[in-house]
Structures are given as structure tokens and as C-alpha cells.
Amino acid sequence: MQTELISLSKAFTENLYRIPDYQRGYAWGLKQLKDFWNDIAQLPDRHNHYTGVLTLEAAPKSATATWEDDLWIIEAKNYQPHFVVDGQQRLTTAIILIQVILEATQNGETLNFDTKEEIQKRYIYLTKDGGISRSYIFGYEKDNPSYEYLITHIFQEQSDRHSTVEETIYTKNLSFAKEYFQEKIKDYSAIEREKLYTKITQNLLFNVFTIREDVDVFVTFETMNNRGKPLSNLELLKNRLIYLSTKFIPNQDGEHSHDRTKLRRTINECWKSAYHYLGKNKARVLDDNFFLLVQFLMYFNVALPRTEHAQANNSLGLYKYKQEEGYKEYLLDEFFTARRVTDASIENPLSVDAIYAYAKDIKDTVKVYHEIFNPEDSKLSGQEKMHLERIGRLRNYDVILLLTAMYKKKPPQAQRISFLEQLERMLFFRTIRSYHFHNIDLEEDGVLFIAGKKTFAEIVKSVSDCTEEFIKSKDFKESIANLGKGGGYYGWAAIRYFMFEYEQYLKSQTKTNRDKLSWEDFRKENFKSDYVSVEHIYPQRAAHASWNGAFSKYKIPQRNILKNSIGNLVPLSIPKNSSLGNRPFVDKKGSREQKVGYSYGCYSEIEVSHEDEWTPHHILARGLRLLNFMEDRWKVDFGTDRNKTDLLGLGFLDPTRKLKLPKK
């Protein structure tokens, strides 16, 4: 290990850096970028900042022999090729920032007396034939999707490949980092850019450590990358499987020689596919650890030993592996271990075929998993997409394993649609009284189904029977009535989901197919702004005199029930000033002059705006209308309007006064 600290400029003197295939991609997000930027921005001129250890592995000739674009710079210019074992996040970030500075620098300007071309040659690429062929000083191995993305999207250079650039979670992070730095320096003067460039290249100091040939680089990687932003379990597992692929030693007949090369390539391809699908929807990047848990439970748990408690309760004991990442311990400490490859005396050795099959299952499962969360990106039927979108809005993660299992085994479409409808219905009623459904274990059902130990028809029946049992129980209407107490429907976990479904119903009754309420916006609640997505029509703080007349005859507890009753709540399609929430009803409705208010909102708001006034009986009438919708949408029967009035807790209103209600 070098005892002196060296700058980025010295580190990039006649050195070539590659991120090896066992490494994760670029994982830094906003927090890490802020920390990196603050370290530089707060660094006084001509002061140094210790950036950490840069751990390298000298790239062997067997590896560099395939680096066709780089052989000339290694052989003719004596550049030293390295794999980056630790420090790639900091190194990548520094290079992205240098690229951003270069793009902001005008032709003819210099940075520390170096031209843009000279800086580019030191940190970005060298060319031997006027730019036709290029050797990139820093980058990824060519079979990594980030290789092409770094060249074309970050360095803004032409690629010699004709394939479409593949995007993953990691490429998304690369793009975000570049955009972050572009925003930071957009107003910088030439002098400020030069100072920033000096700090990055001269004042960020590294200890450089090169791993000896007798040190196992894979184990070193696992150990070192537990610092900083920890590796995810999926990233650790990829490194472990590549490590194991190197442990299959060819025998005299050459057995395993070809297999282990193919295995390493397969692992890389399968993980490339995993990160492609996990990051495909940029608006909702999927968590890789949760994906690995789902895949693990389906792939392994049917064969795992049961705990005593699980045996006594005829259960698979899934929680042993879910709690505190027990699945990670099983994968890395028990199943995918070097001993199961190298110890000839072990009873159940690990084969090339076993690792190959597992990697292929990762690839097969992740596509299905992605489509569960993003049904619009699938080739499923319209009905299935609709039901999956509804289930997704209820955000119940215990259903993901079962849904993934279902779409991996693909029972007939009619059965799938029937089940999705029953499942959504159960999940909806579970938000009203979760305790009633505690005997349904959807994750265990998924494991049993994928193992062939429980039929799909049995699962459908158990979900349907449990829901019907709840609806017919005395607890059902009591639970509905309880929603109107205390904080009322405003505190109901599914209030946004219910309101959104009613909005979709109103849309279906119009001649247009235009959405006026976005689920992604509606479900968010930003407490730092004045935006509320569900509003009380009769305000929580009804200070204006206009509210006194119709409501003043009722006691405070009764007025509180009215405020939080479901008929008094309306979804808002766009941010509205919170001060409007306490205004008179005529102001809330809006006007042609202001172009603000319910009249210019979503279908639910427009429906409310058709009323001339807003009184307790209007709240009751709308509440009955919404309960009628609930009856039709989720196939229940609340009885007469009198029964429904009591369920709403509004029995104290004058029953002789009737407002016109729409027919069911």
C-alpha cells in the first residue's frame, strides 16, 4: 500500500481503470451526491481533503487480451490496467463531475492551463487515429449495460455498437448524478469552474492499495463494500456466484473449463436482466432486496427445514427466513458457499448446473415480478391489467409472492381473472377489519402453490370464503359503522383508494375517457406544502359565518361526525390553496372568473359543485350515494337507506327531509 496520499491527477497518470463484472454498478443517490458536493464546495482553496482508499486489482493479461480497444494503450504507451475493487462510487462521481465541467467549458478556454482536449485525454479517452478508435481511461467491462450508457449518455460520445442502450437502476443513477452536477454549476463563471476542477483533480487525495495476487479479490470486495452505502443482498449474491464459478477446477479431461466460463457469463446476463427490470419504471424503482426475498421463498422454502413451531402449526415457517434477513444468511452462509464446491467429502456438493439453474430462475422471475408492479408493461389481458392496477393501489406487499407464483405457473386466464377480482375484494375489506383475515397467509399459499402442494382452486376458494364469511358476520356492519367514529372516514387507510375507485366510476358514466385524477399524484401527501388530496367540504375549522345556519343546531360531537363523514369528503385533482378549504361553499365551488374550485376539478368535485348549498342533509345524501357505490362495486348489501344512515352514524338527522339520490 502506498504510504503517500495521491491526487486524482496522479491516479490517472498512465493508468487504465475498469469496473469488473462482480462489482455492482453506480449506486449513489441524492444523499451521497450531496455529501460529495459539500466536501468539495466547503473545501478552502489550496486545502486538501482525504477521500478514502482506492483498492485496485492489477488486471491480468488473460483479461486484458479481450480489451481490443485498449491493447494499444497498454502495450505501446505502457498504461497499467486495473480493476477497481473498492472506491468505484467516488471515482465514478469524480469523473462525471469532470465531464460536466468540460461540457460547460467553452472552446478555447483552459482549466489550470490545460485545454479541454488535454483534460479529455487524461480522464476520458485517448485516440490513436484521429478519433476513430478510442480507449476510455475509466469505464466498465464491455458486457455491462453501464459501459454503453457511460459512453453515450455521460461522455456524449458515439458508440460503435448498433444495439439499443439498455437502462437499469445503475444507469438511472449515472444520469441522475450528471443532472445533479449540471444543476449545481449551471451559473458558474469560468473562474469558478476552474477552482472546482482544481479541487477535484488536485485536492481530493486517495490512498491507493493494490491487492496481491495471493489475496482472494472476491472476498475482499464483499468485505470492503460493507462500508459506505452497503451492498444490497442481490449485489452480494451476484459477487458470491461469480466467485463460486471460479472454484470449479478443470480436471485432466478439461471438464468444467468451458462450463465455468459459460456460468460466469450466464450469471452476468441474468443479473443484467434483473437490474434492467427492477429499474425499468423510473418513477417506481423496485427494491432489489424485496425481490430477492420473494424469489428465495419460492425457490427454496419448499425444501427448507421447518421450525418446531412451524411443524406444530403445519406451516412452512417462512418468518424464520424473513425476519432479520434470515434468507440472506441461508443463501450466503449455508447454500452458496465455497465449501460446497471445493470440499470433496461434503455430502451435498454444489454443482455448476445448480448455480446455472438458480441464476436462470432469477432472470425468469424478475420479468414476471416487474409486470406485477407494472401491468401496463405486460401483454396481459385488459381485465387482468385493471385488477392488478387496483391491487397495486392497495399496496399490500404480502400478495406479491402469490401473484408472482401465479404468473410463473400461468393457470387458465379465466381462473386468474376470477382470483384477481376475489383478491382485490378481500384486500379492500381487510382495510376495514384486518383481524378477521389473519388466518389467510397469502405468502405461504404462494409457496405451496409454486411447489404443487396446494391447487390454485383451493387458494381462490379460501380467499373467497374468508371474504364472504366476514361480510355475513355481525362484525361487518359494526366495522363499517366504526369507520364513522373518532377520526371518521378521513382516517380510514383505504379512503384514497375508495375515492379513486368512485372517481373511475363517475368517469365511466361520461362520454369521455379522459382521466381528471392521477393516482400517482392523488396518493401522495406532501405536508411541506399546502396540498391536501382529500378535502373536507364542510371544513374542519368552519369559522366563516356561512356555515353557522345549517350546522349550528347540532351539537359539537354531531358536527364532528358530519365533518369526517364519508359524504363530506372529496378528492382534489390539483393542489389548491389550503385557505380555500375554510371558505364558504360558494367559494369552494369556484367561478368562471377564478377558474379555481370544484367546478374545474375531477369528476367527483364536479358532482359536488352541482349542489346549490352544502348542509348536513347533503352530507347524508352523498354518503348514501357512496355506500350505494360500495354495494355495487364490492358486492355487499347494507339494507335500506335507514340502515345505511345508521351505519354512517347520522341517525340524528331529520329523517323526514329527503334529498334526491341517483338510482343504483
Side-chain angles (χ1 to χ4, degrees), residues 139-159:
Y140 298 84
E141 291 196 286
K142 271 200 171 183
D143 61 352
N144 189 319
S146 295
Y147 171 85
E148 283 290 298
Y149 198 90
L150 187 71
I151 291 172
T152 58
H153 287 68
I154 306 303
F155 295 155
Q156 297 292 305
E157 299 295 333
Q158 294 292 325
S159 172

Side-chain angles (χ1 to χ4, degrees), residues 498-626:
F498 177 79
M499 289 289 184
F500 188 80
E501 287 299 299
Y502 183 63
E503 172 73 10
Q504 295 298 102
Y505 160 74
L506 291 178
K507 185 186 81 169
S508 72
Q509 303 303 300
T510 67
K511 295 180 180 180
T512 178
N513 198 37
R514 177 169 161 253
D515 281 317
K516 295 189 176 186
L517 185 67
S518 160
W519 172 253
E520 288 304 312
D521 291 334
F522 179 53
R523 72 181 179 88
K524 293 175 183 175
E525 192 73 89
N526 185 1
F527 294 100
K528 294 182 180 180
S529 72
D530 59 6
Y531 176 53
V532 289
S533 56
V534 177
E535 180 173 86
H536 295 77
I537 304 169
Y538 167 45
Q540 290 179 294
R541 294 185 296 277
H544 198 274
S546 65
W547 296 108
N548 292 337
F551 292 90
S552 60
K553 63 187 264 187
Y554 298 100
K555 298 176 181 178
I556 291 177
Q558 293 171 330
R559 276 182 267 168
N560 288 335
I561 292 173
L562 286 165
K563 288 175 183 177
N564 293 308
S565 185
I566 195 168
N568 191 52
L569 303 176
V570 65
L572 300 182
S573 58
I574 57 174
K576 294 179 173 64
N577 192 291
S578 60
S579 63
L580 191 63
N582 297 317
R583 299 292 295 169
F585 182 67
V586 66
D587 291 351
K588 290 190 170 199
K589 287 175 59 173
S591 64
R592 290 182 179 178
E593 293 76 22
Q594 293 180 319
K595 300 289 186 183
V596 174
Y598 299 154
S599 299
Y600 300 91
C602 62
Y603 297 107
S604 300
E605 292 176 88
I606 293 170
E607 181 187 53
V608 171
S609 74
H610 290 159
E611 304 293 348
D612 294 327
E613 59 179 345
W614 196 253
T615 68
H617 284 84
H618 285 85
I619 293 174
L620 172 59
R622 187 162 183 272
L624 294 175
R625 185 183 298 121
L626 291 171

